[in-house]
Amino acid sequence: MRLEDIIIPKNLKNTLSYGVERAGMTTEDKVYLYSAEEVMKSSNRARAIIPTDYAILNNAMVNFDYGYSMLRSSSEGDNRVDNIDYDADLITSGISVHDTQYIVAPVMNIDESAVLAGTLNIKDISARYDVSEDDTHAVEFGEYPKTYVDNIVNKKLEELYTSGGLTPTGKAYFCGVGGDSGLTPLYNLEYMTRDNDKYVRVFSRKYDSDSILSDGTELPEEEKPFWVRVEPIEWRIMNWDNLSTMINPNGTGEDDYLELQTQYGIISGIPFYPKNEDESEACVLWQNSTIRGYLNGINVNNIKENGNPDYSAPNGGDFSIYNGGFLGEALGINLPKTAVIEESKEVIKDVVDKKKPKGYGVQVLDHPMTVREQLQFYITNGKSFMLHGPSGVGKTRRIEEADPDFTSITLRNGILPEEVIGKTIYPNNDKTKAGTWVPPAWYVSLLDKCNAEPNKNHVLFIDEITNVKPVEQSLVFHLVLNNMIGPNVGPLPENVVVVAAGNSKEESESAYTMTEPLFRRFDGHVYLKPDVHQFLEWGSEPHPKDSSRPKVHPLVANFVATYGDK
């Protein structure tokens, strides 16, 4: 049973005044926040939310250990939305839509069949928390950054990060918007240790003197890197009394779903709607909100459906192209739309160590995708990606199989810039006059292929990208970041897919660390490791030049099958 199949979308009201629905302004969402009207029906315990260390590091406002949680409703409009304060009191229209210091505790409804089928297991959390009698049950699934590691481990992880001793998983967590426009998505990257523990590197954003982490560490005034452990998400069952007797022996049976809210405020730093010129009542509508877009992994810019287009707003954000939003980051849902594919061993890794935990504690695929299926998915959908793995593991061969006619750029230290980005020729060598850009040979060849086959996606393969110094890496920045050779020259055709390959420092002594902006820009990362089973499976396929014999001689295959793992 897949998680995406058991989430029940909820029909939600967009309100501009307390308890009053605006006609035609309902949305249907898988993940949502409570409104003022809904939250006031809950106990104080349900309303009071404690932020995680990750939320505090991302600018959460804290008072007596509790945070100020964001709601989806606006009681008075005027560019402000409702919130719950640290004392569990409702503050109507207490948040400016532009504020980022409020925490978010996502809510979703799960079909009860998930529990009855054993997909989700209910546990009693009364011993772990000071909770009331009617608030003692929870389920655990998904994962998200949560707890600061402590000062000693933080120092060790930062040293490993600096020396290249941590492996980027290819996964990132959205943490707000910024840049000159105030609309650029910001992310925290996830890394894995040799012990397969996952952590996120966060630059602290202190709100005030109460910004203190769970171990007593007070955040510094200036931004500094903190390492946070990625942990399972705990969800409180908010409608325990209303469940069927098959789940709760004393339940009324009114609901056939579990209404779940995260035990903690796990998100902060994200505005309800970003600061910009849009000062209209549409900014306070849930349908247009940045937080709605992020939680559901959807585009809320100028909505055309699932809401009222007459009251749309332009800058909420398009989260269908960034990680799949919260559903993608935490639960592995919305993967076909993501820019950074879920870091599940079942999806991305070429080799699965049986001792490593798989996925996020829930089954999100009917079967693991093979490497060939992953590459085909990226290429067919025009998504850039990078292949990681030691020399000889078959990175180039896999690209040859996916696109036999691919165009290649092989980087090397000392490569002439004109080989990659072309050169400019000036009349009579007079640089005071306009010059003529001469494209590199690979670009001319790629254009010819794309023009000859406009309905086919063609691979531009950048090889050895990590085996050259940063100055040589910089030659391909614009190709990866902007699909152009330079700021104003060499646009790539729309049917070009940029693919890169490289080694990590652990795999090659000649490897260099890839810059973080360049790493982030790839839509996906595929990690390859030598695997006997996959080698034998590949070797048994017909040889491309002689279909009467396999790719690998049977005697060689037999030897590898016998001694390959030894």
Side-chain angles (χ1 to χ4, degrees), residues 296-356:
N296 291 277
I298 60 176
N299 183 1
V300 291
N301 290 334
N302 297 316
I303 61 168
K304 300 295 190 296
E305 56 186 12
N306 203 354
N308 191 330
D310 293 337
Y311 289 85
S312 65
N315 292 310
D318 183 358
F319 293 90
S320 66
I321 58 174
Y322 292 114
N323 295 1
F326 175 78
L327 284 174
E329 294 170 3
L331 308 178
I333 299 176
N334 287 354
L335 293 184
K337 298 181 180 179
T338 60
V340 180
I341 298 297
E342 173 214 358
E343 204 326 74
S344 166
K345 310 296 184 300
E346 297 172 313
V347 179
I348 281 297
K349 296 295 185 179
D350 188 16
V351 175
V352 178
D353 184 337
K354 301 303 181 183
K355 297 181 181 179
K356 297 178 183 178

Side-chain angles (χ1 to χ4, degrees), residues 61-79:
M61 180 169 55
V62 186
N63 204 334
F64 296 106
D65 294 332
Y66 289 91
Y68 295 68
S69 54
M70 181 189 297
L71 302 178
R72 76 168 191 272
S73 55
S74 174
S75 296
E76 300 173 9
D78 193 27
N79 297 303

Side-chain angles (χ1 to χ4, degrees), residues 195-207:
D195 295 328
N196 306 312
D197 295 321
K198 288 182 279 190
Y199 302 92
V200 169
R201 188 171 185 255
V202 186
F203 276 92
S204 59
R205 289 184 281 167
K206 179 178 181 178
Y207 182 76

